[in-house]
Amino acid sequence: MRRNSRARLGVSLLLVAGALGLGAAPSASAADPSASAAPSAIPAPSAYALDAKVERVLGADTAGSYLDRRTGDLVVTVTTDRAEEQARAAGATVRRVTRSAAELRSAMDTLEAEAKITGTSWGVDPRTNQVVVEADSSVSARDMARLEAVAERLGGAAAIKRVPGEFRREVLGGGAIHGGGSRCSAAFNVTKGGARYFVTAGHCTNISANWSARSGGPVIGVREGSSFPTNDYGIVRYTDGSSPAGTVDLYNGSTQDITSAGNAVVGQAIRKSGSTTKVTSGTVTAVNVTVNYSDGPVYNMVRTTACSAGGDSGGAHFAGSVALGIHSGSSGCSGTNGSAIHQPVTEALSAYGVTVY
């Protein structure tokens, strides 16, 4: 099982394919005014660096970080005087909360052991200092009662919301890049030792080893790695001799250059680019998310409101020039209401030893 010890936080988008559905946005139940007041902000590069620094310094002594939507400051949640002093010394804004990282982790471990029901997901929202649980429309009344009983024993550490849609694969036929009769969206072009690759969703690369730019067309890339379930990332090496730019398609005649990669922060603004819904925008709402797909769980994902549809799987989640995630699935999407899940791209880059450019 892949888990974090703390609640952390040519073909730039050619591929298109089956999205995995999941639950919608979490309910807010604890008092943090920044959770709903102002539009979400894109962190400055220094905020990503500060988030990484705080993670290194505090480890499990923080219950998570989030971006204050009024000020744009990174807020670090703590439960002890020592952790508060360390966070302030690192340069972060600090908020005292009731539940520690260990308590939130224990709540998720209980859900994992007692309520691992297909059609559910849970993750940490540091703004509410809770584990936010979503149950889709496929969860039966009996299983819902079981889930609620487990959550009740956890006290206020877990909040449950019933959401529309279902956790299911939605593979689409036709379209841009094809493999195994399916289409997927590439996330980011990457490089290693002068070779060019793209990263995409692992549930896409599981389908086929060879990928083409059109149905029945010549192969442009060959799979070199795939991880799903548990993770949801894969990598394809370009074999057609091309050297595509390190950009993301904005579907308006322009592109976004990608120059670095980071980990998404709860409360920040985010955009998603994929072949079905093109570019959508939203906010990061939870981290360290577990999703119980019908064909296995994935761990340490990120939940956002950047909506999507079948065919967007593998697409790019990003903020400005910073690569953040690889699209995994969504459900209940309407405008910026609903949930879209991404695999943190930094894990995929580390696993394959590649970098964005």
Side-chain angles (χ1 to χ4, degrees), residues 70-133:
R70 288 194 180 96
T71 66
D73 293 337
L74 185 76
V75 179
V76 178
T77 62
V78 298
T79 56
T80 67
D81 291 339
R82 177 177 177 274
E84 181 171 348
E85 291 173 3
Q86 289 179 307
R88 291 192 189 283
T93 301
V94 179
R95 175 170 162 241
R96 293 294 286 258
V97 293
T98 303
R99 300 176 193 91
S100 67
E103 290 175 278
L104 296 175
R105 184 168 60 249
S106 177
M108 290 200 295
D109 287 343
T110 298
L111 289 163
E112 177 82 14
E114 302 181 26
K116 198 169 183 178
I117 301 164
T118 298
T120 61
S121 73
W122 49 77
V124 172
D125 185 347
R127 298 170 301 181
T128 65
N129 192 220
Q130 289 178 306
V131 176
V132 180
V133 184

Side-chain angles (χ1 to χ4, degrees), residues 287-324:
V287 295
N288 209 7
V289 174
T290 295
V291 185
N292 292 306
Y293 290 128
S294 60
D295 42 2
V298 289
Y299 300 102
N300 194 32
M301 307 295 271
V302 174
R303 180 187 293 153
T304 82
T305 61
C307 274
S308 61
D312 286 326
S313 277
H317 286 223
F318 61 101
S321 62
V322 180
L324 296 173

Side-chain angles (χ1 to χ4, degrees), residues 171-257:
V171 179
L172 303 182
I177 297 298
H178 297 252
S182 303
R183 64 183 181 93
C184 284
S185 298
F188 305 102
N189 286 321
V190 296
T191 184
K192 177 176 67 173
R196 297 293 174 96
Y197 309 77
F198 61 79
V199 289
T200 186
H203 71 265
C204 292
T205 48
N206 277 1
I207 294 171
S208 177
N210 300 314
W211 292 90
S212 301
R214 64 181 186 276
S215 181
V219 171
I220 65 161
V222 175
R223 178 185 65 207
E224 290 209 346
S226 190
S227 182
F228 178 84
T230 304
N231 306 291
D232 198 2
Y233 56 73
I235 189 167
V236 175
R237 178 173 54 87
Y238 286 104
T239 57
D240 63 348
S242 64
S243 297
T247 57
V248 167
D249 193 349
L250 298 181
Y251 288 95
N252 61 2
S254 66
T255 60
Q256 171 64 60
D257 190 27

